Amino acid sequence: MSTANPATEESNVISVGDYIRNNIREYGMLIALVVIMVFFQLYTGGILFKPVNLTNLVLQNSFIVIMALGMLLVIVAGHIDLSVGSIVAFVGALAAIFTVKLQMNFLVAALACLIIGGLIGAAQGYFIAYHRIPAFIVTLAGMLVFRGLTLTVLGGTNIGPFPADFQLISTGFIPDIADIGGLHSTSLILSVLLAVLLFVLAWRRRVVNESHGIDVEPFSFFLAQNLLVSAAILFFGYMLSTYKGFPNVLIVMLVLIAAYAFVTRRTTIGRRIYAMGGNSKAAKLSGINVERLTFYTFVNMGVLAGLAGMIIAARLNSATPKAGVGFELDVIAACFIGGASASGGVGKITGAVIGAFIMGVMNNGMSIIGLGIDFQQMVKGLVLLAAVFFDVYNKNKG
């Protein structure tokens, strides 16, 4: 008499409850984002999801998302960077000097700003990686130094306006290839392609996991989850297409998110960063060059901060000494809210992006309903504390 073979096709399919518990950080923050968006949509009388406000939401938070990608790697590696706000201001000031004062070509100026951002990150990373000075101290010093340099470069005054070409990085929109009833066709097509691509990639990842015996969610949950994601993308794309379409900075942001998601999931250097953050000594004993890897994470952070500095300066159409004040707190908070662990070794790119948009939606929603900046700061502080408590609680519980 034959018995049932346990190694069936469904043997590695786990229950919905177990799958959610195993991915509680990611799903918890995603649910929180949806709840916050629905709350502000209802409380503001539908203003939150209006095309103009959605466009503003992207423009206002693109630089936070971009810097959160770099900050996540720094935090996963077991460090912190307090200098990013000052680097944003300093690079923005240099961009104004290059393009406004020196009349430099905007592409050359942009490349120079990215290189300078990388050099700043390299200088800080050198002391952290090779001289073992705590990142908190080095970047705190950097925060003060580059804020002072910003004031020196600008002479305490604003410099602007920027050339029209330079402004396109932040205020421009992708071109429309055809007119279809007042809708931005290029944005609609890109929305459909993005939804299809993400669904195909999710399906491929599920098939690969099943073939390797890795636990996967029930198919019904997988299908519902990805259909909801696709619907959200299509809705967002449609709403933006009724206004001016996708901003240029949104395309830059999406490309960077895809690139960093690939690096962290599929490349050796990404896996080594997580290994280093989880246990630096063990990583070093296994042959990983911990010092060089730490150095690279700060170079990367400097480049992204430089890019963010140009985006903010172009959006304001002026370089100002006050640019970037407090941005380091928003970026760090976005990573922790998105599930990064304060002890290093844990965190996802998608989580950092979700955390950044939680911060952005809260800022936008509270501004719409007229809450003062003092109350906004208190709310953001409590949300950050709750997110870190949630992380510590689940770690202790496990």
Side-chain angles (χ1 to χ4, degrees):
M1 182 176 179
S2 61
T3 58
N5 182 7
T8 63
E9 183 181 357
E10 300 296 323
S11 61
N12 59 327
V13 177
I14 62 176
S15 68
V16 174
D18 288 338
Y19 182 78
I20 292 178
R21 278 191 291 272
N22 293 340
N23 297 272
I24 189 66
R25 285 187 180 90
E26 186 174 347
Y27 282 103
M29 292 305 104
L30 183 58
I31 292 170
L33 175 60
V34 172
V35 170
I36 290 169
M37 293 183 76
V38 171
F39 170 78
F40 281 117
Q41 170 69 1
L42 296 175
Y43 201 82
T44 60
I47 294 177
L48 184 71
F49 286 164
K50 284 188 175 181
V52 175
N53 192 62
L54 287 176
T55 301
N56 287 334
L57 195 60
V58 171
L59 296 177
Q60 291 168 0
N61 295 283
S62 57
F63 52 86
I64 298 295
V65 174
I66 288 171
M67 286 193 287
L69 301 176
M71 187 65 74
L72 177 71
L73 296 184
V74 171
I75 291 173
V76 166
H79 302 286
I80 203 75
D81 192 339
L82 301 177
S83 67
V84 292
S86 296
I87 296 173
V88 161
F90 180 61
V91 172
L94 292 180
I97 296 296
F98 293 156
T99 58
V100 178
K101 296 287 188 181
L102 302 179
Q103 301 292 311
M104 190 180 292
N105 178 274
F106 76 99
L107 290 176
V108 176
L111 180 60
C113 287
L114 292 178
I115 292 173
I116 291 170
L119 291 174
I120 293 171
Q124 296 188 139
Y126 171 75
F127 288 108
I128 295 165
Y130 295 104
H131 291 279
R132 302 188 182 279
I133 303 175
F136 181 90
I137 300 300
V138 173
T139 58
L140 177 61
M143 180 177 70
L144 300 174
V145 168
F146 293 109
R147 182 62 61 182
L149 284 174
T150 302
L151 293 169
T152 301
V153 169
L154 295 178
T157 62
N158 297 351
I159 296 179
F162 284 95
D165 290 338
F166 187 86
Q167 294 180 50
L168 288 177
I169 188 176
S170 186
T171 59
F173 293 80
I174 63 174
D176 194 7
I177 59 176
D179 183 14
I180 49 175
L183 298 177
H184 197 278
S185 60
T186 310
S187 299
L188 281 178
I189 293 170
L190 288 177
S191 300
V192 173
L193 291 176
L194 179 60
V196 172
L197 177 63
L198 289 180
F199 191 91
V200 170
L201 290 176
W203 176 269
R204 185 167 174 263
R205 185 165 58 249
R206 177 185 172 87
V207 171
V208 171
N209 287 343
E210 283 186 315
S211 67
H212 288 85
I214 300 173
D215 291 340
V216 296
E217 70 272 43
F219 180 75
S220 58
F221 181 78
F222 165 84
L223 189 62
Q225 169 187 252
N226 284 280
L227 286 177
L228 286 174
V229 170
S230 298
I233 292 171
L234 293 175
F235 171 76
F236 183 74
Y238 172 78
M239 295 302 288
L240 290 183
S241 70
T242 62
Y243 182 50
K244 294 182 180 180
F246 285 3
N248 291 335
V249 73
L250 176 61
I251 303 300
V252 173
M253 187 174 71
L254 291 176
V255 170
L256 288 173
I257 291 172
Y260 279 82
F262 176 79
V263 168
T264 54
R265 290 181 178 179
R266 302 292 181 184
T267 67
T268 301
I269 192 170
R271 297 187 188 99
R272 287 178 174 177
I273 290 173
Y274 281 89
M276 178 178 67
N279 190 323
S280 180
K281 291 182 179 179
K284 192 166 187 177
L285 290 173
S286 66
I288 296 174
N289 191 326
V290 172
E291 291 80 11
R292 185 170 61 189
L293 205 56
T294 300
F295 177 77
Y296 286 159
T297 60
F298 280 92
V299 172
N300 174 72
M301 184 70 256
V303 172
L304 292 180
L307 176 59
M310 289 187 289
I311 290 172
I312 294 168
R315 185 169 183 271
L316 297 175
N317 200 20
S318 175
T320 170
K322 296 291 184 180
V325 173
F327 283 2
E328 59 279 341
L329 302 181
D330 283 345
V331 174
I332 292 169
C335 294
F336 285 137
I337 289 172
S341 173
S343 57
V346 176
K348 291 184 178 180
I349 292 296
T350 51
V353 173
I354 290 171
F357 275 106
I358 286 177
M359 298 291 290
V361 171
M362 287 197 305
N363 285 336
N364 184 266
M366 288 188 290
S367 296
I368 292 173
I369 63 180
L371 293 180
I373 189 67
D374 49 352
F375 191 81
Q376 293 184 32
Q377 296 292 341
M378 287 189 289
V379 170
K380 289 193 291 185
L382 291 173
V383 169
L384 173 60
L385 181 62
V388 175
F389 173 79
F390 182 72
D391 171 62
V392 174
Y393 174 78
N394 279 285
K395 184 178 295 183
N396 293 336
K397 188 177 179 181

